[in-house]
Amino acid sequence: MVRTAAILSALACLLLVAACGVPKQKIAVSTDPLGATVYADGKKTCGATPCSVSLDRQSDHLLTIVKEGYKQEEIMIRRRFKPDRAIRDGVISGIIKGADPKDVASEAAREVDEQERSGEAYVLDPSIVTIKLTPAGAGI
């Protein structure tokens, strides 16, 4: 019995450590024509479209799409606050911790604050980028 409890405690600790990383979101990128290179915040993240890039949800990002013979495109990926998700998670956390019903609201507020700091309370938008590239030298 003690051994089972120790194993379960170790697994719970591993899950907590794994959950502490910066939350990321995959953004699908597709171009017409295919085969463009994608840079996120100036760093090459994808050698040939279609692909997806993994971005942290703690900040906005600039995607730059480059293909020889075509005009460079830039797309701003913005983080958007999702209060409904953060509050829901806070209320669930308060209930799971066995908080007194009158303390659930303060637990929810604490959880929302924590999710804002970690980036979990945000989603990146747009979550899918589809772009038709313009040939270089073509008029606007």
Side-chain angles (χ1 to χ4, degrees):
M1 184 64 134
V2 173
R3 186 175 186 195
T4 303
I7 291 171
L8 289 175
S9 293
L11 286 173
C13 287
L14 285 174
L15 287 173
L16 285 174
V17 169
C20 290
V22 176
K24 299 214 178 246
Q25 181 177 331
K26 287 193 180 223
I27 306 295
V29 181
S30 180
T31 60
D32 178 15
L34 304 175
T37 302
V38 180
Y39 295 84
D41 304 321
K43 297 177 185 166
K44 184 177 178 179
T45 56
C46 174
T49 56
C51 62
S52 62
V53 295
S54 184
L55 303 172
D56 71 74
R57 294 189 306 202
Q58 289 180 313
S59 61
D60 294 343
H61 300 277
L62 178 66
L63 292 185
T64 305
I65 300 172
V66 179
K67 181 167 176 73
E68 190 173 328
Y70 293 86
K71 292 181 181 177
Q72 176 176 302
E73 297 285 345
E74 293 184 341
I75 295 93
M76 195 69 197
I77 306 293
R78 300 200 185 274
R79 73 180 188 153
R80 206 167 26 115
F81 183 60
K82 297 290 288 182
D84 53 335
R85 176 185 190 171
I87 292 169
R88 179 202 66 213
D89 291 351
V91 169
I92 290 171
S93 175
I95 292 169
I96 288 173
K97 289 180 180 177
D100 189 297
K102 65 182 184 223
D103 296 331
V104 170
S106 63
E107 177 62 27
R110 188 201 62 73
E111 184 71 21
V112 169
D113 184 53
E114 177 61 33
Q115 288 183 31
E116 281 188 86
R117 279 194 304 260
S118 73
E120 290 179 55
Y122 296 91
V123 293
L124 298 176
D125 189 45
S127 59
I128 299 173
V129 173
T130 303
I131 212 158
K132 182 166 178 61
L133 299 174
T134 305
I140 293 178

